[in-house]
Amino acid sequence: MRKPLLVTTSLVLGLAIAAWAVYRPDQAIRVAAGVAAHHVCSMTYVGHQDPDTIYRELVTPMIGSLPAKWLTVHVDRERQAVAVDGLVSTLATATFTPGYGCRLDLPGNTAWVADTHVAPDIDDGFAAAGLVATDKPTVAAAMERVFAEHRGDAPKAVKAVVIVKDGKVVAERYAQGYGIRSKLISFSVAKSFTNALLGMLALDGKVDPKQPLGALEWQTPGDPRAAITIEDLMRMQSGLAAEEAESAFSPVAQMEFLHADMAGFAAAQPAKEAPGKTFEYTSADTVLLDRMLGQRIGGGAAGVRAFARQRLFAPLHMGDVTMEYDGQGTFIGSTYVYATARDYARLGLLYLNDGKAPDGSRLLPEGWVAWSRTSALGAPYGAGFWTNDGPSDVAQMRVEGGFPKDGFFASGTMGQRIYIVPSEHLVITRFGYSAPPTYGIEDDVRLIKAAIAAYR
């Protein structure tokens, strides 16, 4: 009489084991701990912000309030490290290295050599030494709307807004504790930095977007991934099964927080369809590009850092920009750059000015910007930038709200954005920790509309 019970128990146990193997809640909590350790480390030692505030405003919304209560963060100022404990043990540790930002301590990490050189700020007339307040009441009102918090609504936590018209800062505002020199996390705005680095390599004749990526992992005869081109990866149409979702179970979350070799993990993902057929946004595509550009530049992380400083940051008069790298020295150009709001605007000006530096020298190939901001496959996305030119509903909504058709923007989760409007000679940067699903973009579009009207 006990056999049915034993069978049922075995079945339930088998299903439970299978569910554990598929969903791996242990990995999910490790991902959450990795998010906490990395972000608190970076914004403490790179951004110079209060770790408790960062955990509350940035980390908790990302991992959820319940996991946030289970985790305990320890900031070691002497070692410049952050450890995150679970209920019984340490789940993740991140360590800061001068010049390279923070990196999770994972098996397979290569050693770093600290670089304490700090690039000086350049007084190029781009902005006044002090805060530039707007003298336009309509712009001030729109800016207030961007920053304003309302009881009962999801938090915006906007930290910085800078408006640049005709190459000059005409208005800016910062949250308490932030200012002109505050470094802000890019999240996926970093993808536009990857676009710039690839553009410079294309100018040098070292990259052709039409060519296959050529990943070593895809060279087995018959591997469909061998057909994936650099352009496919830039336009997020690789066909790789590398879903990016706001979930600890997604491949991209595991890539970023559980693996020292992010690009190796990305390259190991199978193809679910032929490249060039479907738009699917995934940071795995960008990390593969970053590994390739690192190989073309040479010199590992130090080589990429030097190349970016000499060829991109210095000509744009950007100050001390921090780029982070995975355990193998690949630039995490999908997610992790740290710069001031003014310096992000300087990158925006590069694209506003068709790839030319302030002195008129060409940093990106002629036509590169137009190609980068042109959408494909009906998606509101070009090659590292979101666009307004296509047929998508969200692009149409932005245009109808006052963000012109020729506008495009770099965008990262929680509302990190560089808006570029060539027809109006306008760049607006906006950074913060805003809530989904829109991360405050409606207020941003109203600000764009107000700025266009006020500064014509």
Side-chain angles (χ1 to χ4, degrees):
M1 297 296 293
R2 292 180 177 272
K3 285 186 177 180
L5 177 60
L6 290 173
V7 171
T8 302
T9 302
S10 298
L11 179 62
V12 170
L13 181 59
L15 290 173
I17 292 172
W20 178 277
V22 172
Y23 293 107
R24 293 296 304 272
D26 60 322
Q27 286 194 358
I29 194 63
R30 285 175 57 213
V31 167
V35 171
H38 175 268
H39 293 359
V40 171
C41 180
S42 291
M43 292 311 298
T44 299
Y45 299 115
V46 180
H48 302 294
Q49 296 299 316
D50 172 64
D52 292 335
T53 303
I54 289 300
Y55 192 73
R56 182 179 68 254
E57 293 187 346
L58 174 59
V59 174
T60 298
M62 297 190 82
I63 67 175
S65 57
L66 187 58
K69 292 178 181 178
W70 292 343
L71 301 176
T72 304
V73 177
H74 303 281
V75 177
D76 187 335
R77 297 281 184 177
E78 183 176 350
R79 291 183 54 243
Q80 293 187 301
V82 172
V84 176
D85 293 347
L87 297 178
V88 296
S89 64
T90 298
L91 298 174
T93 304
T95 304
F96 171 74
T97 301
Y100 296 94
C102 286
R103 181 177 63 170
L104 288 170
D105 298 342
L106 294 168
N109 280 2
T110 56
W112 286 138
V113 176
D115 182 352
T116 57
H117 172 74
V118 176
D121 292 330
I122 298 175
D123 183 10
D124 58 355
F126 169 76
L131 182 73
V132 179
T134 182
D135 59 354
K136 308 290 186 181
T138 54
V139 173
M143 190 105 68
E144 173 61 29
R145 187 183 185 106
V146 169
F147 278 83
E149 303 283 359
H150 300 285
R151 187 182 298 275
D153 289 351
K156 296 178 182 177
V158 177
K159 302 306 179 187
V161 171
V162 174
I163 301 175
V164 179
K165 173 69 173 180
D166 295 326
K168 303 291 184 183
V169 176
V170 293
E172 60 189 334
R173 177 172 167 177
Y174 300 91
Q176 184 176 0
Y178 290 78
I180 292 167
R181 291 178 176 78
S182 296
K183 284 188 178 181
L184 306 160
I185 190 169
S186 68
F187 289 124
S188 288
V189 165
K191 292 178 172 70
S192 302
F193 284 78
T194 293
N195 175 288
L197 295 173
L198 288 169
M200 289 186 292
L201 289 179
L203 190 67
D204 293 345
K206 294 182 178 180
V207 163
D208 179 354
K210 300 297 183 183
Q211 291 183 342
L213 179 72
L216 290 177
E217 295 91 339
W218 303 344
Q219 298 309 305
T220 302
D223 191 328
R225 300 172 298 177
I228 298 173
T229 66
I230 293 170
E231 180 175 10
D232 288 328
L233 294 163
M234 294 182 74
R235 294 194 181 280
M236 304 289 183
Q237 54 191 37
S238 68
L240 291 175
E243 178 191 16
E244 178 160 353
E246 293 184 355
S247 164
F249 299 106
S250 78
V252 166
Q254 294 177 24
M255 176 187 78
E256 289 193 0
F257 300 104
L258 299 181
H259 293 272
D261 184 1
M262 294 187 191
F265 178 86
Q269 303 311 301
K272 63 180 180 180
E273 65 179 359
K277 288 189 173 182
T278 305
F279 169 80
E280 183 175 8
Y281 186 90
T282 173
S283 292
D285 285 1
T286 308
V287 168
L288 286 167
L289 291 168
D290 289 313
R291 182 176 69 173
M292 180 273 294
L293 73 84
Q295 292 166 346
R296 303 284 171 93
I297 292 169
V304 173
R305 174 174 161 81
F307 180 86
R309 279 185 157 183
Q310 295 165 11
R311 295 285 301 277
L312 182 64
F313 303 150
L316 296 182
H317 300 164
M318 297 173 76
D320 194 53
V321 178
T322 297
M323 305 160 63
E324 288 185 337
Y325 304 81
D326 75 1
Q328 294 298 301
T330 295
F331 168 43
I332 312 174
S334 60
T335 320
Y336 297 130
V337 171
Y338 303 81
T340 68
R342 286 182 175 183
D343 278 348
Y344 283 121
R346 286 181 164 97
L347 182 75
L349 285 173
L350 173 66
Y351 287 85
L352 183 78
N353 296 324
D354 191 34
K356 293 182 179 180
D359 66 1
S361 61
R362 180 162 289 283
L363 304 186
L364 305 177
E366 190 171 354
W368 182 268
V369 172
W371 174 80
S372 297
R373 76 186 212 202
T374 300
S375 60
L377 300 178
Y381 194 80
F385 291 89
W386 296 89
T387 72
N388 288 345
D389 73 329
S392 71
D393 292 340
V394 290
Q396 186 61 31
M397 287 174 59
R398 291 193 292 265
V399 173
E400 291 175 352
F403 186 7
K405 190 76 170 176
D406 71 323
F408 58 109
F409 61 108
S411 181
T413 190
M414 301 187 82
Q416 327 314 315
R417 301 190 186 103
I418 306 172
Y419 296 104
I420 304 160
V421 188
S423 59
E424 299 293 338
H425 307 286
L426 183 72
V427 171
I428 298 178
T429 60
R430 180 263 201 220
F431 285 76
Y433 309 139
S434 301
T438 63
Y439 305 103
I441 198 167
E442 300 96 334
D443 293 336
D444 294 358
V445 170
R446 292 187 180 97
L447 177 62
I448 292 168
K449 183 179 181 178
I452 288 172
Y455 294 113
R456 272 183 175 163

